[in-house]
Structures are given as C-alpha cells and as structure tokens.
Amino acid sequence: MGELAVSATPEDELVSMGLGSCVGVALVDRERAVAGLAHVMLPAANAAYSAPAKFADRAVPTLLACIERLGAERERMIAVLAGGAQMFAGAKTGVGGLDLGARNEAAVRSALADAGIPVRAAATGGDRGRTVRVRVGEARVSVKEAGGVEVSLWHPHFLADDLVEAS
Amino acid sequence: MITRYDEQQLDALRELASIGSGTAATALAQMLGRPVELAVPRALALPLADALDAVGEPDAMVASVVLPTTGCAGGDRGDAEIIVLLLFSYSCAANLCEMLGVEPRSELGDSALGEIGNVLGASAVGAFAQMTGLTLEPQPPHVLFDMLGAVVASILSATAGELELALVLDASLTVEEAECGLSFLLLPTVGGADELLGRLGLDPVPPTR
C-alpha cells in the first residue's frame, strides 16, 4: 500500500496484492526488461510529505523517474492499470463515499496523460478486488480478480507466447 | 517514520479495544447461544505499508462485514469515525449462517452476517460512547466476500487520510465448538482516534513530520 517498486532484473516479478479502491499502475518499457509498479491509494496529495506512491499525482512522476534511472525510455513506455473498484457500493460515508476507486483511476490517467504515456490495457472499476503482477523479463502484466483466474492484460507482440511462465 | 501515538496512548487505545471487543464477544455469545473466547487485543499504530501485513495475507479470500460509524464530536477536530471490520473465513461464514438457521451465501445468509456485524459493532461503539461521551452512530453494514487486501486497504485509504499511519485495534474471537475464529477490527480515522484519546484526557500530540 502506498509503495512502489521498479526492476531491471528479468527474473523479477512485481506484485500488488488485493487492490480494492487502490489502483496498481504498471509502467513497462516495450523493448527492454525494465518495469515498475506503484500502489496508489488516493487521488491527490495535500500534505508536503507522503509515501512515494500513495497519491496518484506524485506516484506517476516518481515511478517514471525511477524506471528511467534503470534505463527505460519514455517513448517506449506503456502503462497498464488495475484496481479502482468500488468495494462498498452505495456507501454514504467514510469507507466508500464519492467512489474513491473511480477518482483514483481518473487521477492516474490524467497524470499519465501529462507524462505522455499511453494506457494500453486496464482492468478497473467493478466491485471486486484484484491482484496485479508484472513479470519483468517478459514485460507481461497480468491480473487476477477475487475468486477468478489470472489473465494476461498486456505483453509485447514480439515476445513469443511459448516463453516459460516465470512464477 | 511518523510517531504520533506514544505508549501511554496506545495502552489507552488497547484498553478501549479490550472493552469494545469484550462487549462484542458477549453480544456474539448471546446471539449464537454458545461461549465465545476472546484473545488479548492488540493496538497497533503502523506505517500504512505495514498495516495490511499485520492483518493478514492481502490476496487471501475472506468473508467480511464492514460497519462504518459516524461520530458527532461537536468540536473542531473533524470527523470522528470508527470503521468496525469483521473478518472470517468462508467456512466460518457458513458455520455462522448454519448456527443462525439460514442458508450460507444466500441473500438471507449475507443479511444474517451483516446483522452479526451490526450487533458486534454497535455493542463495541456503544461501549466507547458510554466511556467517552461521544455520540457514535452505526451505519448500515456491508457484507463482502473478497480479497483481504482489497477490503482493508479500501478502508485504510479512507481512515488514514493524509497521514502515513494506520491505527489498528485488533481482537480475535473464537466461537467454541464451531471451529470459527473471527478477527474483530476497529479502524478509527485519525480524527476518531484523537477524539477518543482527547475524551480520555490523553490529548494527542501534533504529528511530527
């Protein structure tokens, strides 16, 4: 929660487990095995200090800077989103008011648009939790919905599908 | 890391959790007609990133009842809210439904689980209200079968607000002869915790950043 991770190690797998109203933002370099994943909790920061990935408006630039440092190029970068569910449908106060999930997603999309990074796939909205995985070597992003099976959200075309699944 | 609550304040919150969960355990025992055992509760003030791990495996599927309560503090401390959260396994959910004579995973079954959340939550916050003079009003419960992380993080997003800190008051209830353990969590907003502490004469220190 509120954290981010980046990697240029092909064997690595970046995971955000149990995303509800939070949004998992994956940035992937299409041609190099460099990827990053942030777990965004809230749309915008008011406080001067915060965990790097907690707020959408800070998480996107921070994640971008971190994966560029590992050699990712912005022109080759794509984004994949997961999460942003409305867990407590119909809640008037506290836990679910004002559809936090949708606001998180909108804030992430707007920050990505500002950075010029296209969103190529998304598993967002609804009322179920999700787990998102980024397999760095394959540049593959997959998502598993609560009670469901893992499905591939995005992977580069030039990578053969018969690559061994890193798990 | 932010140190907001000192040991004395955490002790006071633990004591509140203890009284709240004790009252809830009694209510559950009455409802089910069976003894309910209560483990010593924890009061944890944790960085957000660690709070989820303290509760359990984020992608484990759990049954949960979420009961928001809103408080009327009548002061300028902001919203005094406490979210009551009950977590239990699918099999425990089925056992509880059977004990109450309703079909598990049916509309009636979910409604019965919501009622358990209602009774436990209302008795706990009722005890808080009595101790602190705070008006706490339970809202309708939500019953969810989903990933633990999705349920807990979505609540903590709302309670933690700008702070990097989550306050988790956690007790475990075991229904005897039923192989059923429930986690009973009280997740106050920062305003809610401050209000409770203030009423107990332990005013919170301003956050050090």
Side-chain angles (χ1 to χ4, degrees):
Chain A
M1 274 193 300
E3 293 174 307
L4 65 81
V6 292
S7 170
T9 307
E11 297 78 36
D12 276 359
E13 184 177 89
L14 311 174
V15 186
S16 266
M17 283 194 283
L19 294 162
S21 61
C22 302
V23 174
V25 188
L27 291 186
V28 176
D29 186 316
R30 281 173 303 171
E31 290 169 29
R32 276 194 203 177
V34 183
L37 180 63
H39 185 151
V40 171
M41 296 182 75
L42 293 167
N46 296 322
Y49 170 87
S50 85
K54 188 172 164 190
F55 302 100
D57 58 344
R58 296 240 178 88
V60 171
T62 310
L63 187 63
L64 190 56
C66 289
I67 79 162
E68 281 179 332
R69 222 173 289 149
L70 291 180
E73 297 277 347
R74 198 179 288 216
E75 308 79 66
R76 300 195 301 248
M77 233 179 260
I78 63 100
V80 179
L81 310 181
Q86 167 77 311
M87 300 299 294
F88 308 102
K92 286 192 207 81
T93 62
V95 286
L98 312 169
D99 201 348
L100 182 60
R103 285 190 296 133
N104 278 338
E105 183 187 354
V108 167
R109 283 183 183 271
S110 138
L112 286 167
D114 289 347
I117 299 172
V119 177
R120 282 291 153 78
T124 50
D127 61 0
R128 305 294 286 169
R130 295 179 178 91
T131 287
V132 64
R133 289 172 198 275
V134 182
R135 295 184 175 87
V136 176
E138 294 176 71
R140 180 190 294 269
V141 185
S142 64
V143 70
K144 181 176 178 288
E145 211 170 271
V149 291
E150 187 168 356
V151 292
S152 215
L153 262 186
W154 190 87
H155 66 98
H157 298 300
F158 62 84
L159 278 179
D161 273 324
D162 57 3
L163 276 179
V164 181
E165 289 267 312
S167 55
Chain B
M1 193 191 133
I2 295 172
T3 53
R4 185 184 171 92
Y5 302 103
D6 62 24
E7 268 311 308
Q8 192 190 10
Q9 289 167 331
L10 283 177
D11 275 344
L13 291 169
R14 206 169 286 131
E15 186 58 28
L16 277 180
S18 176
I19 291 161
S21 50
T23 317
T26 308
L28 183 64
Q30 276 170 359
M31 203 174 171
L32 299 175
R34 287 170 196 246
V36 172
E37 207 170 295
L38 171 68
V40 180
R42 306 184 290 172
L44 307 166
L46 292 166
L48 269 185
D50 300 333
L52 202 47
D53 295 331
V55 178
E57 188 65 28
D59 69 347
M61 294 297 292
V62 290
S64 62
V65 185
V66 183
L67 186 82
T69 68
T70 49
C72 181
D76 55 359
R77 292 171 191 271
D79 290 338
E81 291 181 20
I82 299 174
I83 317 276
V84 179
L85 172 61
L86 276 179
L87 297 170
F88 38 95
S89 67
Y90 277 37
S91 63
C92 176
N95 287 349
L96 288 172
C97 285
E98 270 164 31
M99 280 182 245
L100 295 171
V102 292
E103 180 84 10
R105 299 308 298 269
S106 65
E107 203 177 314
L108 213 56
D110 287 1
S111 152
L113 294 177
E115 193 49 31
I116 292 180
N118 229 348
V119 169
L120 269 64
S123 56
V125 299
F128 289 177
Q130 231 170 22
M131 285 175 68
T132 59
L134 198 63
T135 313
L136 288 162
E137 193 185 328
Q139 304 296 310
H142 301 272
V143 178
L144 277 82
F145 295 84
D146 213 296
M147 293 174 175
L148 176 95
V151 176
V152 176
S154 301
I155 295 172
L156 292 179
S157 297
T159 58
E162 294 294 328
L163 277 187
E164 301 310 314
L165 189 81
L167 191 59
V168 179
L169 309 177
D170 182 6
S172 96
L173 309 177
T174 312
V175 182
E176 283 181 18
E177 302 154 35
E179 311 264 316
C180 192
L182 298 93
S183 279
F184 181 76
L185 284 89
L186 298 159
L187 306 166
T189 58
V190 171
D194 287 1
E195 186 63 37
L196 288 174
L197 286 170
R199 301 265 171 147
L200 295 173
L202 294 166
D203 259 309
V205 289
T208 49
R209 290 203 161 145

